[in-house]
Each structure stands twice: as structure tokens, then as C-alpha cells.
Amino acid sequence: MAKTKEDPKKVLNTEFNHYLFNTGEHIRSYEFMGAHVIEFEGRKGVQFTVWAPNAQSVFIAGDFNDWGYGEMFPQGTTGIWTGFVEGIGEDAIYKYRIRRHDGFEFLKADPYAFYSELRPKTASVVKDLNGFKWEDATWRAKNKRKNLDANPMNIYEVHLGSWKRHWDGRFFTFSQYIDELIPYVKEMGYTHIELLPVMEHPLDDSWGYQITGYYSVTSRYGEPKELMQFINECHKQDIGVILDWVPAHFCRDSHGLYLFDGTPTYEYQDPNKASNNRWGTTHFDYGKPQVHSFIISNALFWMDMFHADGLRVDAVSAMLYLDYDDGPWTPNIYGGNTNLEGVALLKKLNTTVKKEYPAALMIAEESTAFPLITHDVESGGLAFTHKWNMGWMNDILRYFELDPIYRKNHHNLITFSFMYVFNENFILPMSHDEVVHGKKSLLNKMPGDEQMKFQGLRTLMTYMMCHPGKKVNFMGNEIAQWMEWRFREGLEWIGLKYEMHQKHQYFMKELNSLYRNHKALYEIDDSYDGIDILDADNKNESLFTFIRKGKQPRDFLVVICNFTPVQRDHVKVGVPFEGQYEELLNTELKEFGGAWEYSEKTFNTTEEQVNGKDFSLEVIAPPLSVLIIKPKRIKGAK
């Protein structure tokens, strides 16, 4: 078992484990809950342990006893039931037969199962997760030492079921993605892969966000150890792996957590707090100690057993607000709308993860202005490492969807983020949610003809890369997919037969490389020390100029954004040092799909005060473009 050297027989059946679980302090409850292959008093078999505090009786039912009544025994007054079945092992199929307080019986999947049958079947499957030979010690040691905030983080967000599909519609497996996805991500220059939930879920349409098996690797893509192998290979290729995770709510399918023992077990008893009407799901009871043990153990489970580098925590807002959902709500003890129990659980979760895995990423998908999401608990914060900047994403997409003739009237959509950009430790997302449900693909959001759409997309991607904050880009954005994301089929790889899509993919590869190779774009993402805004007020020409800075004086880049399809000549920008500068990137070059045949290779400063600087450069800003200029030979900078 992870981080345990004791004999399994002793580990699985101790009063101390039961005490910790029921007080909310067991941070690895998966080590004794669920189904474990053990040897007990000389007999080999599987021990089953489940929490069903209000059940009259609990039995083990499976393919090994004709789905009958395998005996389980209550462990005092703990609400925990345990049973042992001799002669079975891995791949045994089972459920718990629960007899409710009124005698009614029903079958439930194991909340702690490590594997499940392929949908539409719903039974749990016994799996032994021990014995995998990890080869990522170098990766893990390196991550412990480095400051993640001062390093590049460019995340490729992936839904495994629709990155690629076989010609007959079958899913690729984890093993096949080792050969297909990892080399692609490596070649494109991303630092991390973020996987939409790989926990077991009954409905493909939920993309994994409505979970039934929190400890169960979804059987759609293969076995648990195949996912281990996938993550192991990512680490060997210097690629981190982040897993999407949903501790806010679970689906109401009858075999899942909902009314697990016939009463509200994992969920609130108050229906106003339990029901999520918008999503048709049910909220965990964040104040229940056993739920604390379940959720915190689950977070550590994916790091212990699968070496995940972090979790992107979905729907955090639903944990923070009692009135976040549609419909009636129950105020807290002070009459307010903050879910005090949700706040307490998130603080406890992030504190525990930080203690156990100091380098782990805990990323909040949180869409409101709730304060101090990424600040430490001692300062009143929730202690996430990062927060998705949903406000920036919404503003920037609204701006880019406008016909450029109107952009001068909405210039604040570009500049407003700099009023709050360092209030939290932000990640900038261009996520799956923005390219589905009729919202169009990123390419198709851009106004104008085909040429202009590609111009706009290159400009958007480059501005995102230059803006402070780490990055997330959903699969398909990098090949400029025309159609919005369709989760039932693979991406439009066929588009790469066409020149413009080939050039855009090449552009994204070059942009990713530029980001990773220039400290100015990532080294200071959390303070105004990392940016010097030159001109944020030129709304009439829709120009925006700024400097991104690293920790050393010489590490800086000048960024000139032209958000209209009109070439701007004689654009003057201030620079901090006298000397010669050179073009690093012009998004309008022909090699990227633009119209410019050439680059302006070098620029010499003029001793003229512009933008509050003593020296200036004069450049041509191509239409709908971003120009990035770096120092070449300058005076005064060490």
C-alpha cells in the first residue's frame, strides 16, 4: 500500500483507521476502504470494507456468489462494514447489497473501487494497484526542487475520448496514447498535459465531470496500470500531468454515491444544499467528517498511486456559495451565502496536499471574485496554487469576436485585466467550455474572411502568451479547427491537409518554443515587476504596447499588439536601454500564414522620450498582428 509498510491484514482492520475516518482525519482511507487482495490467517482472498452508517445490513454480491449474500460485519458503531471472501482475487466483479432501515434492498457500486465495468454496466471490479515499476524518480526529484511559478507552464488540455478515435469510433487506449499523444505534445512544446476526468463516469456526454467512481480509472481507455504507464512515460519525456477532478458534486445514478445506504450519506440532508438543479447532480456534505476523509484521500490517491503532478479542481464556486445554483437556498449560520463548510474543507484539502506534496499543483476553476483563492490559509486564503482567470478569458473572447471597426469602443476589454491580474496566481485558459455548445471554435469566433480569421487567431494566441499568467489551451486550438469541439469524434486532423492549418500548427509550435525559451514571458507572473505597460490608451488605433520582464535587466521583450486589420506605420515605443534591438516574432509572416514576405530584422534606438522611457524604437505594426522585439546589443543593462 502507498506509504505503508505494515502487513495488509493489520492495515485493513484497525480501530485507529476507523477512528481517523470518522473524525475526518484519515488522509489515505483508500488504503483500507474498498476491495483489497490480501492474505488473511493463511487464506488468500479479498477483503471488502464500506461505510454505510444507516444500513440495516450490508452484503457482498458478485459473480463469485451468484450475486447473493456474502456476509459483512459491522465494525462496532463506526458505520463501517467489513467482509472477507476467500478464493477470489483481481478482476472479481462485485457490488454491495444494502438492506435499508425498512428492509428494502438495492445494489451499489463500491465508492472506493479501483476499477469498474465498462458502461453501460455498472459493477465494481477488484484491482490490485501495487507492483507497478515507476521510472520517474528524476522527474519527481526535479519538480521538488524547482519553483513552479518561476518556470514556464503551458498546458495542453485533452479529452482523451475525442483527441483521436479509431475509424470505427472506438476509443484509443492509454497504451495507444503513449505512442500518439505524448510525442505530439513533446513536439509541440507544451509543458503539461491536463486530462479531462479519467475517473469512472456513466455518461459520455458529461465528459467525465459527473463521476460515480472517484477512485476508479475509467474503463473506456484501459486498465489502471496502463494509466500509470502513460503518466510514467509523460514524466520520462519531461511532461507534467494534471488531472481534472470534481469534489463539488456527484451524479445521481442509482448505483453511485446518491443516497448510498438509503439515506443522505455522502450528501447534505438539507435538499437546498444537496441539490444542484443546474447540473442535475448532488453536492457532497462538506461538513461531514467522513466526506472529508473520502475527498482528501481521493486527492492524495491520484498523487500517491498515479503520480499525478496536480489537480484542476472543477466547479469550486459551487463549493463556496450556497446560492450558486438555481432555485431555493439555505443561508449559513450568519445569514450569508458563503458555504462555510465548503471553505473549511478547501482550506484543509490544500493544506494537506501541500504538506504531503509541496510541488503539487492545485488549480481552482472558480468563476467569481471570491477573494484570496491562491493566498495561504494564514492570510485568510484557500491555499490553491493557481486559479483559472475566467474573467480575462471572457473579456478577451468578447473583444476578439467584435468586428475590428468596433473594437475602439471596447478597448477596456483588453486592458481591464491589468487592474486585477496579480490579485491571484492566475492561469489563462482557452478551455473546452469555450469551443462547445454552439460557441464555435476559436477560429470561427474570429470575424472576417478566412485570411482575417487566421490573423485574428494568431494575434489572440500570441497576446495570451505575452500576458502575465500561466497558459491552458484546449486541443484543436493549435490546428485551428473550423468546427467546434465534438466529443463523440476525433479532432479535425484532416484539416492538416490544407496549407493554412499546417502553417497555424507550425506557428503554434514556434510560439510555444518562444514562450519556453524566454524568461521574460514566465519568470515573473505574479507581480507588476514582470510587466511595464507602455501605452494602454490608444483605443482609436486599437494598439496596445507593453514590456514583459524577467528577473535580470537584460531579460525583457517589447510587445506591440495591433488589433485592427489596418497597418500602422511609424509606431513609436519606449524602451529602457539604448542600443540595437531585433525582431523575435512577427505573427503576419508568410511562413505562419500571413502576408508579409520579410521581417524587419533590427531596430536602432533614438534618444527620444516615449512612454516614459528615455529611448524609443520606431516600427511598422502589421495588420491584425503582434510584434515581439528583444534586445540585441544594448547599453546599461547587466
Side-chain angles (χ1 to χ4, degrees), residues 31 45 125 138 140 144-145 234 296 434 542 583 610 613:
E31 292 186 338
V125 180
T138 300
R140 300 190 100 192
K144 284 182 180 178
R145 293 192 302 268
C234 284
I296 293 172
E434 303 313 307
S542 296
E583 181 182 288
V610 175
K613 307 297 181 186

Side-chain angles (χ1 to χ4, degrees), residues 25-67:
E25 298 304 320
H26 207 308
I27 64 172
R28 290 185 171 85
S29 56
Y30 71 86
E31 292 186 338
F32 80 98
M33 297 291 284
H36 294 269
V37 180
I38 65 167
E39 183 174 335
F40 181 68
E41 296 179 352
R43 297 178 297 155
K44 294 181 180 179
V46 176
Q47 180 161 306
F48 298 89
T49 306
V50 67
W51 177 58
N54 295 309
Q56 184 186 120
S57 300
V58 181
F59 304 93
I60 304 165
D63 61 353
F64 43 83
N65 67 357
D66 294 326
W67 298 95

Side-chain angles (χ1 to χ4, degrees), residues 156 158-160 162-165 172 177 180-181 184-185 187-188 190 474-482 486 489-498 501-502 505:
Y156 188 59
V158 176
H159 176 249
L160 286 177
S162 57
W163 189 73
K164 277 188 178 179
R165 286 276 185 101
F172 274 50
Y177 276 124
E180 295 273 347
L181 179 59
Y184 179 78
V185 170
E187 181 185 358
M188 290 298 296
Y190 294 99
F474 185 55
M475 63 181 198
N477 293 344
E478 83 284 3
I479 60 173
Q481 183 161 309
W482 276 112
R486 292 164 292 185
E489 56 190 79
L491 296 179
E492 287 182 358
W493 298 107
I494 193 171
L496 292 176
K497 295 197 305 183
Y498 302 99
H501 294 274
Q502 292 174 11
Q505 185 187 43

